[in-house]
Amino acid sequence: MEQILNVEGLCRDYGKGTVTHAVDHVDFSVEKGEFVGIMGPSGSGKTTLLNCISTIDTPTAGHIWVEGRDITTLKQKGLSRFRRERLGFVFQDCNLLDTLTAYENIALALTIRKTPAQKVDALVRETAQLLEITDCLNKYPYQMSGGQQQRTAAARAIVTEPALVLADEPTGALDSKSARLLLERFELMNQLRQATILMVTHDAFTASYCHRILFLRDGSLFAQVERGNQERKDFFRQIIGVVTQLGGDQSDVL
């Protein structure tokens, strides 16, 4: 399989004198088409790790390769281009532009990529159909539910076919029904578009939709579990077992 992401010896320290090792010598890789979750207690470094991969934060040491390119060596202009062209983002706060409709929010990602105008409409509508938001395309964010907004954000993230979709607590602000629907759409994105997804979550139910989970503790990798051929309920129980070892909350039940 093609390796999309490779993280080697990654460190991110904060402070002078008394140094906090937010990410401490982390190594892992993600192959094309994988759906990988990152879990850990508060302060374990999971969001800092995602921020380094997304180029929002700068590592103290180590390397991050995306599609074979070491992004830790890129200068600001190169980073901006890389972020725009090869990454897709879905955050807890969907960050849609209030003055644009759902259609326009999704199309904006293509416009920034300078996609030919004649291709934009088909790409937007195909992606909206995948995320089940075709009935929302002419609505503004304030006219949509939280779940619809988040699925619009997911559509915007994948419409450009990025190398890697980064999701930070994407279900954190959703009710259980909306969260389940979003996660089912993530599964479909992964299956039909071969979208490679790296998702930070504190919730075992959300994590159970992934293929593999990396667990962080005190900035370091603590454990890793793979779903394999397990039913999602069985994978959920396995995740809960590791969360219990970490001393975290045992999240929602299925």
Side-chain angles (χ1 to χ4, degrees):
M1 289 290 288
E2 180 186 354
Q3 200 172 85
I4 293 294
L5 173 68
N6 186 31
V7 175
E8 184 177 292
L10 193 70
C11 300
R12 182 58 174 106
D13 299 338
Y14 294 102
K16 296 180 179 179
T18 303
V19 176
T20 300
H21 303 294
V23 177
D24 191 9
H25 294 91
V26 168
D27 300 276
F28 71 96
S29 60
V30 177
E31 294 182 343
K32 182 176 175 60
E34 272 201 288
F35 185 178
V36 177
I38 299 174
M39 297 190 74
S42 296
S44 62
K46 52 189 186 293
T47 294
T48 301
L49 174 60
L50 201 71
N51 285 345
C52 288
I53 295 168
S54 68
T55 75
I56 292 171
D57 203 351
T58 304
T60 304
H63 297 273
I64 302 167
W65 284 273
V66 177
E67 295 182 305
R69 176 191 294 183
D70 186 351
I71 64 173
T72 61
T73 65
L74 296 177
K75 304 300 181 185
Q76 191 57 50
K77 187 176 180 180
L79 282 174
S80 297
R81 183 176 179 179
F82 164 77
R83 194 183 300 127
R84 181 175 67 247
E85 295 186 353
R86 303 312 299 145
L87 298 181
F89 298 94
V90 185
F91 298 113
Q92 183 171 328
D93 181 355
C94 58
N95 292 324
L96 297 176
L97 295 176
D98 293 334
T99 56
L100 300 182
T101 63
Y103 182 101
E104 291 166 339
N105 267 283
I106 299 166
L108 182 61
L110 293 166
T111 303
I112 291 171
R113 284 281 304 274
K114 299 181 179 179
T115 301
Q118 63 270 25
K119 294 184 178 181
V120 170
D121 186 69
L123 288 169
V124 170
R125 294 188 184 280
E126 178 188 338
T127 307
Q129 186 173 7
L130 178 66
L131 274 295
E132 293 189 355
I133 50 168
T134 52
D135 57 339
C136 300
L137 287 177
N138 293 322
K139 293 182 179 180
Y140 291 92
Y142 72 89
Q143 297 173 312
M144 295 186 282
S145 69
Q148 289 169 334
Q149 290 181 31
Q150 204 52 315
R151 278 180 280 143
T152 300
R156 181 181 60 187
I158 69 161
V159 72
T160 58
E161 297 189 348
L164 185 63
V165 176
L166 302 172
D168 191 2
E169 301 283 5
T171 62
L174 302 180
D175 59 52
S176 58
K177 181 180 178 181
S178 297
R180 188 185 294 267
L181 186 53
L182 177 67
L183 291 165
E184 288 171 354
R185 295 300 97 189
F186 268 44
E187 272 194 323
L188 209 57
M189 283 161 48
N190 175 252
Q191 291 167 6
L192 298 184
R193 290 278 188 94
Q194 281 290 291
T196 306
I197 305 170
L198 186 64
M199 178 175 69
V200 164
T201 181
H202 70 281
D203 178 48
F205 170 74
T206 299
S208 69
Y209 281 81
C210 298
H211 300 159
R212 179 164 58 106
I213 310 294
L214 307 174
F215 293 89
L216 294 182
R217 183 170 68 180
D218 299 328
S220 300
L221 280 177
F222 170 77
Q224 176 178 252
V225 295
E226 296 188 23
R227 180 171 173 178
N229 296 321
Q230 293 182 85
E231 294 291 331
R232 193 168 57 78
K233 287 185 178 182
D234 296 328
F235 191 40
F236 172 82
R237 295 188 187 97
Q238 186 180 5
I239 293 166
I240 286 292
V242 181
V243 169
T244 302
Q245 291 179 50
L246 283 167
D249 297 328
Q250 291 193 19
S251 299
D252 300 332
V253 295
L254 290 173

